[in-house]
Amino acid sequence: QAQLVESGGGLVQAGGSLRLSCAASGRTFSTNAMGWFRQAPGEEREFVAAISWGGAVTDYADSVKGRFTISRDNAKNTVDLQMNSLKPEDTGVYYCNAGLGLILGVEGPYWGQGTQVTVSS
């Protein structure tokens, strides 16, 4: 059974950095785009970043451009999100997602359980 497991969340002060990682198992996602969404308390889940199956194409929400970097390692079946210059508004649960159309804006059918990121001011 396909499974995505996130790690790397935590508490950090504004201006700090965190690196999230998503490990896929149960199947290979090398032909799928992979990405990250987040959900703040009381808010809807929103797109953060995505990367194409080969890694050549990336997409970011305007709110994180220039601060976050997404990368993937198909040999290890992982996707990472390097988050720098974190702001309190980046606080939320971050979810890993995978799917064929994700780089085109279509949420994939595979989700992780989420990892909490809290940025203090």
CSV table of all heavy atoms in Angstrom, one decimal, residues 38-85:
chain,number,residue,atom,x,y,z
A,38,ARG,N,-0.2,23.0,3.0
A,38,ARG,CA,-0.2,23.3,4.5
A,38,ARG,C,-1.6,23.8,4.8
A,38,ARG,O,-2.4,24.3,4.0
A,38,ARG,CB,0.8,24.3,4.8
A,38,ARG,CG,0.6,25.7,4.3
A,38,ARG,CD,1.7,26.6,4.5
A,38,ARG,NE,1.5,28.0,4.0
A,38,ARG,CZ,2.5,28.9,4.0
A,38,ARG,NH1,3.7,28.7,4.4
A,38,ARG,NH2,2.2,30.1,3.5
A,39,GLN,N,-1.9,23.6,6.1
A,39,GLN,CA,-3.2,24.0,6.6
A,39,GLN,C,-3.0,24.7,8.0
A,39,GLN,O,-2.5,24.0,8.9
A,39,GLN,CB,-4.1,22.8,6.8
A,39,GLN,CG,-5.5,23.2,7.2
A,39,GLN,CD,-6.5,22.1,7.0
A,39,GLN,OE1,-6.2,20.9,7.0
A,39,GLN,NE2,-7.8,22.4,6.8
A,40,ALA,N,-3.3,25.9,8.1
A,40,ALA,CA,-3.2,26.7,9.3
A,40,ALA,C,-4.5,26.4,10.1
A,40,ALA,O,-5.6,26.1,9.5
A,40,ALA,CB,-3.0,28.1,9.1
A,41,PRO,N,-4.5,26.6,11.4
A,41,PRO,CA,-5.8,26.4,12.2
A,41,PRO,C,-6.9,27.3,11.7
A,41,PRO,O,-6.7,28.5,11.5
A,41,PRO,CB,-5.3,26.8,13.6
A,41,PRO,CG,-3.9,26.6,13.6
A,41,PRO,CD,-3.4,26.9,12.3
A,42,GLY,N,-8.0,26.7,11.5
A,42,GLY,CA,-9.2,27.5,11.0
A,42,GLY,C,-9.2,27.9,9.6
A,42,GLY,O,-10.1,28.6,9.1
A,43,GLU,N,-8.1,27.5,8.8
A,43,GLU,CA,-8.0,27.8,7.4
A,43,GLU,C,-8.1,26.6,6.6
A,43,GLU,O,-8.0,25.5,7.0
A,43,GLU,CB,-6.6,28.5,7.2
A,43,GLU,CG,-6.4,29.7,8.0
A,43,GLU,CD,-7.2,30.9,7.6
A,43,GLU,OE1,-7.6,30.9,6.4
A,43,GLU,OE2,-7.5,31.8,8.4
A,44,GLU,N,-8.3,26.8,5.3
A,44,GLU,CA,-8.4,25.7,4.3
A,44,GLU,C,-6.9,25.3,4.0
A,44,GLU,O,-6.0,26.1,4.1
A,44,GLU,CB,-9.1,26.2,3.0
A,44,GLU,CG,-10.6,26.4,3.2
A,44,GLU,CD,-11.3,26.6,1.9
A,44,GLU,OE1,-10.7,26.7,0.9
A,44,GLU,OE2,-12.6,26.7,2.0
A,45,ARG,N,-6.8,24.1,3.5
A,45,ARG,CA,-5.5,23.6,3.1
A,45,ARG,C,-5.1,24.4,1.8
A,45,ARG,O,-5.9,24.6,1.0
A,45,ARG,CB,-5.6,22.1,2.8
A,45,ARG,CG,-4.2,21.5,2.5
A,45,ARG,CD,-4.4,20.0,2.6
A,45,ARG,NE,-5.4,19.5,1.7
A,45,ARG,CZ,-5.9,18.3,1.7
A,45,ARG,NH1,-5.5,17.5,2.7
A,45,ARG,NH2,-6.8,17.9,0.9
A,46,GLU,N,-3.8,24.8,1.7
A,46,GLU,CA,-3.3,25.5,0.6
A,46,GLU,C,-2.1,24.9,0.0
A,46,GLU,O,-1.3,24.3,0.7
A,46,GLU,CB,-3.1,27.0,1.0
A,46,GLU,CG,-2.0,27.2,2.0
A,46,GLU,CD,-1.7,28.7,2.3
A,46,GLU,OE1,-2.3,29.5,1.6
A,46,GLU,OE2,-0.8,28.9,3.1
A,47,PHE,N,-1.9,25.2,-1.3
A,47,PHE,CA,-0.7,24.7,-2.0
A,47,PHE,C,0.5,25.5,-1.5
A,47,PHE,O,0.4,26.7,-1.3
A,47,PHE,CB,-1.0,24.9,-3.5
A,47,PHE,CG,0.3,24.7,-4.3
A,47,PHE,CD1,0.7,23.4,-4.6
A,47,PHE,CD2,1.0,25.8,-4.8
A,47,PHE,CE1,1.8,23.2,-5.4
A,47,PHE,CE2,2.1,25.6,-5.6
A,47,PHE,CZ,2.5,24.3,-5.9
A,48,VAL,N,1.6,24.7,-1.4
A,48,VAL,CA,2.9,25.4,-1.0
A,48,VAL,C,3.9,25.3,-2.2
A,48,VAL,O,4.4,26.3,-2.6
A,48,VAL,CB,3.5,24.8,0.2
A,48,VAL,CG1,4.9,25.4,0.5
A,48,VAL,CG2,2.5,25.0,1.4
A,49,ALA,N,4.2,24.0,-2.6
A,49,ALA,CA,5.2,23.8,-3.6
A,49,ALA,C,5.0,22.5,-4.3
A,49,ALA,O,4.4,21.5,-3.7
A,49,ALA,CB,6.6,23.9,-3.0
A,50,ALA,N,5.5,22.3,-5.5
A,50,ALA,CA,5.4,21.1,-6.2
A,50,ALA,C,6.6,20.9,-7.1
A,50,ALA,O,7.2,21.9,-7.5
A,50,ALA,CB,4.1,20.9,-7.1
A,51,ILE,N,7.0,19.7,-7.4
A,51,ILE,CA,8.1,19.4,-8.3
A,51,ILE,C,7.7,18.3,-9.2
A,51,ILE,O,7.0,17.3,-8.8
A,51,ILE,CB,9.3,19.0,-7.4
A,51,ILE,CG1,10.6,18.9,-8.3
A,51,ILE,CG2,9.1,17.8,-6.6
A,51,ILE,CD1,11.9,18.8,-7.5
A,52,SER,N,8.1,18.4,-10.5
A,52,SER,CA,7.7,17.4,-11.5
A,52,SER,C,8.5,16.1,-11.2
A,52,SER,O,9.4,16.0,-10.4
A,52,SER,CB,8.1,17.9,-12.9
A,52,SER,OG,9.5,18.2,-13.0
A,53,TRP,N,8.1,15.0,-11.9
A,53,TRP,CA,8.6,13.7,-11.7
A,53,TRP,C,10.1,13.7,-11.9
A,53,TRP,O,10.8,13.0,-11.1
A,53,TRP,CB,7.9,12.7,-12.6
A,53,TRP,CG,8.2,12.8,-14.0
A,53,TRP,CD1,7.5,13.6,-14.9
A,53,TRP,CD2,9.3,12.2,-14.7
A,53,TRP,NE1,8.1,13.5,-16.2
A,53,TRP,CE2,9.2,12.6,-16.1
A,53,TRP,CE3,10.3,11.4,-14.4
A,53,TRP,CZ2,10.1,12.2,-17.1
A,53,TRP,CZ3,11.2,10.9,-15.4
A,53,TRP,CH2,11.1,11.4,-16.7
A,54,GLY,N,10.7,14.4,-12.8
A,54,GLY,CA,12.1,14.4,-13.1
A,54,GLY,C,12.8,15.5,-12.3
A,54,GLY,O,14.1,15.6,-12.4
A,55,GLY,N,12.1,16.4,-11.7
A,55,GLY,CA,12.7,17.5,-10.9
A,55,GLY,C,13.0,18.7,-11.7
A,55,GLY,O,13.5,19.7,-11.2
A,56,ALA,N,12.7,18.7,-13.0
A,56,ALA,CA,13.1,19.9,-13.9
A,56,ALA,C,12.2,21.0,-13.7
A,56,ALA,O,12.5,22.2,-14.0
A,56,ALA,CB,13.1,19.4,-15.3
A,57,VAL,N,10.9,20.8,-13.3
A,57,VAL,CA,9.9,21.8,-13.1
A,57,VAL,C,9.5,21.9,-11.7
A,57,VAL,O,9.2,20.9,-11.0
A,57,VAL,CB,8.7,21.6,-14.0
A,57,VAL,CG1,7.7,22.7,-13.9
A,57,VAL,CG2,9.1,21.4,-15.5
A,58,THR,N,9.5,23.2,-11.2
A,58,THR,CA,9.0,23.4,-9.8
A,58,THR,C,8.0,24.5,-9.8
A,58,THR,O,8.0,25.4,-10.8
A,58,THR,CB,10.1,23.8,-8.9
A,58,THR,OG1,10.8,24.9,-9.4
A,58,THR,CG2,11.1,22.6,-8.7
A,59,ASP,N,7.1,24.5,-8.8
A,59,ASP,CA,6.1,25.6,-8.7
A,59,ASP,C,6.0,25.9,-7.2
A,59,ASP,O,6.1,25.0,-6.4
A,59,ASP,CB,4.8,25.1,-9.3
A,59,ASP,CG,3.8,26.2,-9.4
A,59,ASP,OD1,4.2,27.4,-9.5
A,59,ASP,OD2,2.6,25.9,-9.4
A,60,TYR,N,5.8,27.2,-7.0
A,60,TYR,CA,5.7,27.6,-5.6
A,60,TYR,C,4.5,28.6,-5.4
A,60,TYR,O,4.2,29.4,-6.4
A,60,TYR,CB,6.9,28.4,-5.1
A,60,TYR,CG,8.2,27.5,-5.1
A,60,TYR,CD1,9.0,27.5,-6.3
A,60,TYR,CD2,8.5,26.8,-4.0
A,60,TYR,CE1,10.1,26.7,-6.3
A,60,TYR,CE2,9.7,26.0,-4.0
A,60,TYR,CZ,10.5,26.0,-5.1
A,60,TYR,OH,11.6,25.2,-5.1
A,61,ALA,N,3.9,28.6,-4.3
A,61,ALA,CA,2.9,29.6,-3.9
A,61,ALA,C,3.7,30.9,-3.8
A,61,ALA,O,4.8,31.0,-3.4
A,61,ALA,CB,2.3,29.3,-2.6
A,62,ASP,N,3.0,32.0,-4.2
A,62,ASP,CA,3.7,33.3,-4.2
A,62,ASP,C,4.2,33.7,-2.8
A,62,ASP,O,5.2,34.3,-2.6
A,62,ASP,CB,2.7,34.4,-4.6
A,62,ASP,CG,2.4,34.4,-6.1
A,62,ASP,OD1,3.2,33.7,-6.8
A,62,ASP,OD2,1.4,34.9,-6.5
A,63,SER,N,3.5,33.2,-1.7
A,63,SER,CA,3.8,33.5,-0.4
A,63,SER,C,5.2,32.9,0.1
A,63,SER,O,5.7,33.4,1.1
A,63,SER,CB,2.7,33.1,0.6
A,63,SER,OG,2.5,31.7,0.5
A,64,VAL,N,5.7,31.9,-0.6
A,64,VAL,CA,6.9,31.2,-0.2
A,64,VAL,C,8.0,31.4,-1.2
A,64,VAL,O,9.1,30.9,-1.0
A,64,VAL,CB,6.6,29.7,0.1
A,64,VAL,CG1,5.5,29.6,1.1
A,64,VAL,CG2,6.4,28.9,-1.2
A,65,LYS,N,7.7,32.0,-2.4
A,65,LYS,CA,8.8,32.1,-3.4
A,65,LYS,C,10.0,32.9,-2.9
A,65,LYS,O,9.8,33.9,-2.2
A,65,LYS,CB,8.2,32.8,-4.6
A,65,LYS,CG,7.4,32.0,-5.5
A,65,LYS,CD,6.8,32.7,-6.7
A,65,LYS,CE,6.0,31.9,-7.6
A,65,LYS,NZ,5.4,32.6,-8.7
A,66,GLY,N,11.2,32.3,-3.2
A,66,GLY,CA,12.4,33.0,-2.7
A,66,GLY,C,12.8,32.5,-1.3
A,66,GLY,O,13.9,32.8,-0.9
A,67,ARG,N,11.9,31.8,-0.6
A,67,ARG,CA,12.2,31.4,0.8
A,67,ARG,C,12.3,29.9,0.9
A,67,ARG,O,13.0,29.3,1.7
A,67,ARG,CB,11.2,32.0,1.8
A,67,ARG,CG,11.1,33.5,1.8
A,67,ARG,CD,10.2,34.0,2.9
A,67,ARG,NE,8.9,33.5,2.8
A,67,ARG,CZ,8.2,32.8,3.7
A,67,ARG,NH1,8.8,32.4,4.8
A,67,ARG,NH2,6.9,32.5,3.5
A,68,PHE,N,11.4,29.2,0.1
A,68,PHE,CA,11.3,27.8,0.2
A,68,PHE,C,11.9,27.2,-1.1
A,68,PHE,O,11.8,27.7,-2.2
A,68,PHE,CB,9.8,27.3,0.3
A,68,PHE,CG,9.2,27.6,1.6
A,68,PHE,CD1,9.8,28.5,2.6
A,68,PHE,CD2,7.9,27.1,1.9
A,68,PHE,CE1,9.1,28.7,3.8
A,68,PHE,CE2,7.3,27.3,3.1
A,68,PHE,CZ,7.9,28.2,4.0
A,69,THR,N,12.5,26.0,-0.9
A,69,THR,CA,13.0,25.2,-2.1
A,69,THR,C,12.6,23.8,-2.0
A,69,THR,O,12.8,23.1,-0.9
A,69,THR,CB,14.5,25.3,-2.1
A,69,THR,OG1,14.9,26.7,-2.2
A,69,THR,CG2,15.1,24.6,-3.4
A,70,ILE,N,12.0,23.3,-3.0
A,70,ILE,CA,11.6,21.9,-3.1
A,70,ILE,C,12.6,21.1,-3.9
A,70,ILE,O,13.1,21.6,-4.9
A,70,ILE,CB,10.1,21.7,-3.6
A,70,ILE,CG1,9.6,20.3,-3.4
A,70,ILE,CG2,10.1,22.2,-5.1
A,70,ILE,CD1,8.1,20.2,-3.7
A,71,SER,N,12.8,19.9,-3.5
A,71,SER,CA,13.7,19.0,-4.2
A,71,SER,C,13.3,17.5,-4.0
A,71,SER,O,12.5,17.3,-3.1
A,71,SER,CB,15.2,19.2,-3.7
A,71,SER,OG,15.3,18.9,-2.3
A,72,ARG,N,13.8,16.7,-4.9
A,72,ARG,CA,13.4,15.3,-4.7
A,72,ARG,C,14.6,14.4,-5.1
A,72,ARG,O,15.5,14.8,-5.9
A,72,ARG,CB,12.2,14.9,-5.6
A,72,ARG,CG,12.4,15.0,-7.1
A,72,ARG,CD,11.1,14.8,-7.8
A,72,ARG,NE,10.5,13.5,-7.6
A,72,ARG,CZ,9.3,13.1,-8.0
A,72,ARG,NH1,8.5,14.0,-8.5
A,72,ARG,NH2,8.9,11.9,-7.8
A,73,ASP,N,14.5,13.2,-4.6
A,73,ASP,CA,15.5,12.1,-4.9
A,73,ASP,C,14.8,10.9,-5.3
A,73,ASP,O,14.3,10.2,-4.4
A,73,ASP,CB,16.4,11.9,-3.7
A,73,ASP,CG,17.6,11.0,-4.0
A,73,ASP,OD1,17.4,10.1,-4.9
A,73,ASP,OD2,18.6,11.0,-3.3
A,74,ASN,N,14.6,10.6,-6.5
A,74,ASN,CA,13.8,9.5,-7.0
A,74,ASN,C,14.5,8.1,-6.6
A,74,ASN,O,13.8,7.1,-6.4
A,74,ASN,CB,13.6,9.5,-8.5
A,74,ASN,CG,12.5,10.6,-8.9
A,74,ASN,OD1,11.7,11.0,-8.0
A,74,ASN,ND2,12.6,11.0,-10.1
A,75,ALA,N,15.8,8.1,-6.5
A,75,ALA,CA,16.4,6.9,-6.0
A,75,ALA,C,16.0,6.5,-4.6
A,75,ALA,O,15.9,5.3,-4.3
A,75,ALA,CB,17.9,7.0,-6.2
A,76,LYS,N,15.8,7.5,-3.8
A,76,LYS,CA,15.4,7.3,-2.4
A,76,LYS,C,13.9,7.4,-2.2
A,76,LYS,O,13.5,7.1,-1.1
A,76,LYS,CB,16.2,8.3,-1.5
A,76,LYS,CG,17.7,8.2,-1.5
A,76,LYS,CD,18.3,9.2,-0.6
A,76,LYS,CE,19.8,9.0,-0.5
A,76,LYS,NZ,20.5,10.1,0.4
A,77,ASN,N,13.2,7.8,-3.2
A,77,ASN,CA,11.8,8.0,-3.1
A,77,ASN,C,11.4,9.0,-2.1
A,77,ASN,O,10.5,8.8,-1.2
A,77,ASN,CB,11.1,6.7,-2.8
A,77,ASN,CG,9.9,6.4,-3.8
A,77,ASN,OD1,9.7,7.1,-4.7
A,77,ASN,ND2,9.2,5.3,-3.5
A,78,THR,N,12.1,10.2,-2.1
A,78,THR,CA,11.9,11.2,-1.1
A,78,THR,C,11.7,12.6,-1.8
A,78,THR,O,12.2,12.8,-2.9
A,78,THR,CB,13.0,11.3,-0.1
A,78,THR,OG1,14.3,11.6,-0.8
A,78,THR,CG2,13.2,10.1,0.7
A,79,VAL,N,11.0,13.5,-1.1
A,79,VAL,CA,10.9,14.8,-1.5
A,79,VAL,C,11.1,15.7,-0.3
A,79,VAL,O,10.6,15.4,0.8
A,79,VAL,CB,9.5,15.1,-2.2
A,79,VAL,CG1,8.4,14.9,-1.3
A,79,VAL,CG2,9.5,16.6,-2.7
A,80,ASP,N,11.9,16.7,-0.4
A,80,ASP,CA,12.2,17.6,0.7
A,80,ASP,C,11.7,19.0,0.4
A,80,ASP,O,11.5,19.5,-0.7
A,80,ASP,CB,13.7,17.7,0.9
A,80,ASP,CG,14.3,16.4,1.4
A,80,ASP,OD1,13.5,15.5,1.8
A,80,ASP,OD2,15.5,16.2,1.4
A,81,LEU,N,11.5,19.8,1.5
A,81,LEU,CA,11.1,21.2,1.4
A,81,LEU,C,12.0,21.9,2.4
A,81,LEU,O,11.9,21.8,3.6
A,81,LEU,CB,9.7,21.4,1.8
A,81,LEU,CG,9.2,22.8,1.6
A,81,LEU,CD1,9.1,23.2,0.1
A,81,LEU,CD2,7.8,23.0,2.3
A,82,GLN,N,13.0,22.7,1.8
A,82,GLN,CA,13.8,23.5,2.6
A,82,GLN,C,13.1,24.9,2.8
A,82,GLN,O,12.8,25.6,1.9
A,82,GLN,CB,15.2,23.8,1.9
A,82,GLN,CG,16.1,24.7,2.7
A,82,GLN,CD,16.6,24.1,4.0
A,82,GLN,OE1,16.9,22.9,4.1
A,82,GLN,NE2,16.6,25.0,5.0
A,83,MET,N,12.9,25.2,4.1
A,83,MET,CA,12.2,26.5,4.4
A,83,MET,C,13.1,27.4,5.2
A,83,MET,O,13.5,27.1,6.3
A,83,MET,CB,10.9,26.1,5.3
A,83,MET,CG,10.0,25.1,4.6
A,83,MET,SD,8.5,24.8,5.6
A,83,MET,CE,9.2,24.1,7.1
A,84,ASN,N,13.4,28.5,4.5
A,84,ASN,CA,14.2,29.6,5.1
A,84,ASN,C,13.4,30.8,5.4
A,84,ASN,O,12.3,31.0,4.9
A,84,ASN,CB,15.4,29.9,4.2
A,84,ASN,CG,16.3,28.7,4.0
A,84,ASN,OD1,16.5,27.8,4.8
A,84,ASN,ND2,16.9,28.6,2.8
A,85,SER,N,14.0,31.7,6.2
A,85,SER,CA,13.3,33.0,6.6
A,85,SER,C,11.9,32.8,7.0
A,85,SER,O,11.0,33.5,6.5
A,85,SER,CB,13.4,33.9,5.4
A,85,SER,OG,14.8,34.1,5.0
